């Protein structure tokens, strides 16, 4: 009888130990979440060619009356026009205009005609001593380039982009050969409303 009792006690102890080992073994096993190896991030290829629109600048738009003693804006008057509303912008009218669409849209939305009766201008920097710009016709939304850029820029500029609402005369730049030079020369143009082009004019014609 004693022998049977000893065997029962031993069997119970062994059974408890086996259960304990199973529980400990189960706990020590890492979970599925713990064994997941982070996936290597995939390379996402994108078009890295991004056109950065230049920052706009705000050159002083000199009204003809303020400089009538210097330039003959009244020799190139534009038609009387009562501005009422703006047409939708037409980006197809200028090949490069879409590259500057954000600046053009902002200037057009917030501006009113400031050149040659019908046009809202927007002007950008294009490097050292260089500016460029476009103008938008409020009547049909068409976009045209202003006569600015490297061809009309100069290292020593006295002033640039002088124009007004009531005249078709556009002074792109007043230049000097050096800071000490007393002589100046001009890049001046007149907007031909019929042909929709800027035509260069000589100094004798603008004074």
């Amino acid at each position: 009888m004693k022998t049977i009792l000893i065997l029962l006690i031993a069997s119970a102890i062994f059974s408890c130990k086996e259960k304990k080992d199973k529980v400990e073994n189960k706990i020590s096993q890492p979970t599925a979440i713990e064994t997941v190896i982070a996936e290597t991030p995939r390379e996402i290829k994108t078009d890295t060619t991004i056109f950065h629109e230049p920052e706009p600048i705000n050159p002083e738009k000199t009204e003809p009356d303020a400089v009538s003693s210097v330039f003959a804006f009244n020799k190139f008057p534009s038609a009387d026009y009562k501005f009422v509303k703006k047409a939708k912008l037409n980006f197809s009218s200028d090949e490069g205009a879409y590259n500057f669409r954000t600046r053009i849209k902002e200037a057009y939305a917030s501006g009113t005609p400031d050149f040659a009766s019908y046009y809202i201008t927007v002007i950008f920097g294009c490097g050292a001593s260089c500016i460029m710009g476009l103008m938008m016709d409020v009547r049909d939304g068409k976009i045209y380039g202003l006569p600015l850029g490297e061809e009309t820029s100069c290292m020593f500029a006295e002033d640039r982009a002088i124009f007004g609402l009531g005249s078709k005369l556009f002074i792109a730049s007043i230049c000097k050969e050096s800071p000490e030079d007393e002589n100046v020369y001009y890049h001046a143009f007149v907007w031909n409303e019929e042909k929709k082009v800027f035509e260069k004019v000589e100094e004798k014609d603008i004074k």
Side-chain angles (χ1 to χ4, degrees):
M1 187 69 177
K2 186 181 291 186
T3 303
I4 294 173
L5 185 60
I6 291 171
L7 289 173
L8 288 173
I9 293 171
S11 177
I13 292 172
F14 180 81
S15 177
C16 289
K17 184 176 183 305
E18 185 179 14
K19 288 180 180 178
K20 183 178 178 181
D21 289 342
K22 286 181 178 180
V23 170
E24 288 179 351
N25 185 54
K26 183 177 182 181
I27 293 174
S28 65
Q29 293 296 320
T31 63
I33 296 175
E34 292 172 334
T35 58
V36 172
I37 300 174
E39 182 182 357
T40 303
R42 290 176 297 172
E43 181 182 0
I44 301 175
K45 295 184 179 180
T46 58
D47 184 2
T48 56
T49 304
I50 301 173
F51 184 88
H52 295 283
E53 294 188 1
E55 290 299 317
I57 62 175
N58 296 301
E60 182 180 355
K61 298 177 178 64
T62 308
E63 290 296 328
D65 290 344
V67 291
S68 58
S69 60
V70 180
F71 300 112
F73 282 93
N74 58 353
K75 287 176 62 176
F76 309 95
S78 57
D80 291 332
Y81 177 70
K82 185 178 180 180
F83 170 63
V84 179
K85 65 178 182 178
K86 304 168 189 171
K88 183 180 178 181
L89 282 170
N90 180 2
F91 282 96
S92 64
S93 59
D94 185 274
E95 186 177 347
Y98 195 72
N99 291 328
F100 309 103
R101 58 192 177 279
T102 301
R103 303 302 181 194
I104 290 173
K105 288 178 180 178
E106 289 176 353
Y108 193 67
S110 62
T112 55
D114 56 2
F115 173 64
S117 301
Y118 316 112
Y119 302 93
I120 296 174
T121 63
V122 59
I123 296 175
F124 310 97
C126 57
S129 302
C130 178
I131 59 174
M132 63 179 295
L134 301 106
M135 62 185 194
M136 297 78 77
D137 192 334
V138 295
R139 297 168 297 176
D140 56 16
K142 290 185 178 181
I143 303 167
Y144 304 92
L146 290 171
L148 298 170
E150 293 182 2
E151 292 183 1
T152 58
S153 66
C154 51
M155 186 62 68
F156 305 104
E158 293 286 285
D159 207 346
R160 301 179 293 179
I162 305 171
F163 55 93
L165 175 61
S167 177
K168 294 179 284 187
L169 178 61
F170 189 97
I171 310 298
S173 55
I174 305 173
C175 301
K176 285 185 174 184
E177 294 292 345
S178 68
E180 298 79 19
D181 199 339
E182 294 183 0
N183 297 318
V184 297
Y185 61 95
Y186 307 93
H187 293 292
F189 302 83
V190 170
W191 174 247
N192 188 319
E193 179 62 31
E194 293 182 0
K195 296 180 180 179
K196 302 296 184 184
V197 294
F198 279 97
E199 298 172 339
K200 190 169 179 60
V201 290
E202 301 300 324
E203 181 178 346
K204 63 181 179 61
D205 297 321
I206 63 176
K207 289 188 174 182

